[in-house]
Amino acid sequence: SLALSRSKECVRLVDIGGGQGDFLAEWVAASGKPGTLFDLPETVARAQASMTFASENRAVTFHPGNFFDAATYPPPTTPCLLY
């Protein structure tokens, strides 16, 4: 929920299976905190094209990978909220 964006505990949101990044974009805008979008490479490519505003100011990083392959997971962020 976006109410969690006010949490001082969460310094970065890692949106697993984040799709086009709609939720992540809203969370970044509401919280002012950075986020990482993790999804399949073809999905991440589409999200990068549609989330230019967030990626230009480095609020959002993109990490292509596969949820079923732990070797492709983004590096851990502590503390971290997983959606």
Side-chain angles (χ1 to χ4, degrees):
S1 125
L2 292 177
L4 293 173
S5 67
R6 294 178 186 82
S7 170
K8 293 180 183 180
E9 300 290 318
C10 184
V11 297
R12 171 180 288 276
L13 175 78
V14 178
D15 193 356
I16 306 286
Q20 295 292 325
D22 296 336
F23 177 83
L24 184 62
E26 285 188 45
W27 189 86
V28 167
S31 70
K33 298 174 186 177
T36 299
L37 181 95
F38 176 73
D39 211 314
L40 295 171
E42 58 274 12
T43 304
V44 167
R46 286 192 304 272
Q48 283 177 301
S50 68
M51 294 182 70
T52 307
F53 72 95
S55 58
E56 283 178 355
N57 69 16
R58 300 180 194 262
V60 173
T61 56
F62 301 92
H63 193 96
N66 186 330
F67 178 78
F68 297 106
D69 182 359
T72 67
Y73 288 2
T77 302
T78 307
C80 178
L81 172 66
L82 298 178
Y83 173 74

